[in-house]
Amino acid sequence: GDTTMAFDVNSTYTMLQAIEQAYAPNTFFRDTFFPNVETFTTNYVLMDIQKGGRPLAPFVSRNGNTVNMQREGRKTNMYEPPILAPSRTINTKDVEMRGLGESIVSTKTPAERAMELRTRDLVDLQDMIVRRHEWECAQAMLFGKFDITGYAANGTAVVTDTVTYTDFTQKKTLSGADMWSNPTTATPRDVLQEAYQAISQNANLLPDYVVMNSKTATALLKCKQTQDFLLRPQANLNLMSIAPKVLSTSVTLFGVITELGNLPIYVYDAVYTDDAGTAQHFIPDGYVVMGISGRGKQLFAAITQLEGNGEFKTYASAFVPKVWDDIESNTKKLAVSSAMLPVPATYDDWYTLKVM
């Protein structure tokens, strides 16, 4: 007999197990810098971002290209984030086919199998959203701006909003001899010290995280100035110690800058797939983010959706699942909706460097 047929569990599901193990989303930026969750009972969220003690609203433009952005956009602290709502269809064939860990002779009923598929699909859809949230958190800190593409609150039109934290000014791009790609002339210690001082003076708190990817960390290590400080003969003058310690699949504690209050350097190498299908690092080569952890927020707007009984219902929740039947095509559809905005506590909480 053709044994290959027996194992063709609809290729997607065959792959799922591997995916489940390998691609649980990495959420280092979100969990480190935006861990506080606030849900609203309205379709909009209220932001209170400070700089030097005064509230400063971000600039939001919808479907704006750079030309007419200024005209269409506005500064606001009341905002309706577009809704991310990835969906999936389950048809009867999926349900009749064997599930992942099932033996060929299966005792599972189609109903049990449908429930299992649904659970797995919901986790999958939620993961898609979570990866997008991590991307938004990283972009907010790297560039002070990010796009959110999703459905407008009325649920049909797809929109792209650009949220710009215009008052984020703690950033610096190195050039020429200062770049970390020039190991003999670069002065990484001075640059990191300057960022540290800016944050502690403006935010009145000490930064406790430095984040970069491994390529940037390698460049840091190769710089003559770094070597000089690492190789001090007297132990008591040790200004920096490098002893990498793997914390998870994509996060490594790279070392500690002793002279800056034992400031840890984390290497974050997680990747995501962009819209063109290319793998990209959440923190690209040559970027360094220094910041204060634990202060940013994820603001979730409520989701209003039409339920099976024909009534609209509003949910104040981070992730809202929905399952509905399409009788004509004999399928069930399933979606997870989320409307989130990452918001820093103040624009002074972090400093971004482009070092090469």
Side-chain angles (χ1 to χ4, degrees):
D2 185 358
T3 49
T4 50
M5 263 317 288
F7 194 67
D8 174 37
V9 188
N10 177 333
S11 54
T12 318
Y13 295 124
T14 319
M15 283 155 57
L16 262 175
Q17 240 174 1
I19 291 171
E20 274 169 10
Q21 287 158 12
Y23 290 112
N26 290 292
T27 50
F28 182 72
F29 270 99
R30 185 195 72 173
D31 300 346
T32 305
F33 298 108
F34 302 91
N36 308 300
V37 171
E38 216 172 287
T39 49
F40 288 77
T41 52
T42 51
N43 287 348
Y44 57 85
V45 297
L46 291 170
M47 309 175 248
D48 177 25
I49 314 176
Q50 306 271 332
K51 186 177 171 83
R54 54 198 182 99
L56 286 173
F59 187 84
V60 177
S61 69
R62 176 152 290 184
N63 292 339
N65 51 34
T66 41
V67 185
N68 58 15
M69 203 185 252
Q70 292 305 114
R71 195 176 40 127
E72 285 185 3
R74 63 204 167 104
K75 282 203 126 172
T76 178
N77 64 346
M78 199 173 120
Y79 173 58
E80 226 174 80
I83 299 162
L84 300 177
S87 63
R88 281 241 167 114
T89 304
I90 297 182
N91 59 36
T92 45
K93 199 159 168 241
D94 294 337
V95 174
E96 287 156 9
M97 286 183 124
R98 210 165 53 74
L100 262 183
E102 272 180 68
S103 62
I104 305 292
V105 182
S106 176
T107 54
K108 276 197 184 133
T109 66
E112 287 171 323
R113 203 173 281 136
M115 193 61 222
E116 211 169 86
L117 282 183
R118 184 182 305 178
T119 309
R120 193 173 288 156
D121 278 339
L122 286 171
V123 168
D124 241 20
L125 295 172
Q126 184 168 322
D127 283 356
M128 283 180 199
I129 295 173
V130 166
R131 269 191 274 275
R132 189 74 197 185
H133 287 171
E134 171 70 355
W135 178 84
E136 288 168 16
C137 291
Q139 294 281 307
M141 298 190 76
L142 288 163
F143 307 110
K145 70 186 270 188
F146 53 91
D147 290 338
I148 308 180
T149 299
Y151 296 99
N154 64 19
T156 49
V158 173
V159 297
T160 296
D161 279 3
T162 303
V163 179
T164 308
Y165 293 133
T166 28
D167 298 290
F168 157 56
T169 53
Q170 296 192 138
K171 51 189 169 191
K172 186 175 188 175
T173 300
L174 305 183
S175 60
D178 293 336
M179 288 162 79
W180 292 9
S181 40
N182 294 321
T184 47
T185 50
T187 54
R189 176 207 175 200
D190 306 356
V191 172
L192 292 168
Q193 207 164 22
E194 190 184 313
Y196 184 84
Q197 281 160 355
I199 296 171
S200 44
Q201 278 164 16
N202 297 332
N204 262 332
L205 287 164
L206 298 176
D208 55 354
Y209 271 78
V210 177
V211 189
M212 60 188 78
N213 73 19
S214 52
K215 195 168 175 183
T216 314
T218 305
L220 168 64
L221 203 49
K222 284 182 178 165
C223 286
K224 184 180 181 306
Q225 193 185 46
T226 310
Q227 301 278 338
D228 290 348
F229 285 110
L230 283 174
L231 305 174
R232 290 276 170 113
Q234 304 92 325
N236 61 345
L237 280 179
N238 211 347
L239 301 179
M240 191 175 182
S241 72
I242 303 287
K245 183 170 152 229
V246 176
L247 304 181
S248 75
T249 48
S250 58
V251 182
T252 302
L253 175 58
F254 181 68
V256 171
I257 307 175
T258 332
E259 65 170 338
L260 298 181
N262 285 331
L263 179 63
I265 298 173
Y266 291 89
V267 165
Y268 182 41
D269 274 330
V271 293
Y272 63 94
T273 307
D274 67 12
D275 297 336
T278 315
Q280 304 281 2
H281 278 100
F282 280 108
I283 182 159
D285 295 350
Y287 281 89
V288 177
V289 173
M290 185 185 293
I292 302 166
S293 67
R295 300 202 341 129
K297 286 179 182 169
Q298 301 166 59
L299 305 183
F300 287 92
I303 303 285
T304 300
Q305 61 190 26
L306 186 61
E307 295 296 329
N309 59 7
E311 301 289 313
F312 280 98
K313 197 167 174 204
T314 299
Y315 298 89
S317 176
F319 300 96
V320 181
K322 179 182 179 180
V323 180
W324 69 100
D325 295 308
D326 185 340
I327 307 295
E328 273 108 77
S329 62
N330 207 11
T331 57
K332 264 189 194 303
K333 269 200 135 164
L334 130 100
V336 177
S337 298
S338 185
M340 190 278 275
L341 184 74
V343 174
T346 91
Y347 291 117
D348 303 317
D349 275 2
W350 80 101
Y351 200 111
T352 299
L353 297 159
K354 173 92 171 74
V355 298
M356 53 186 206

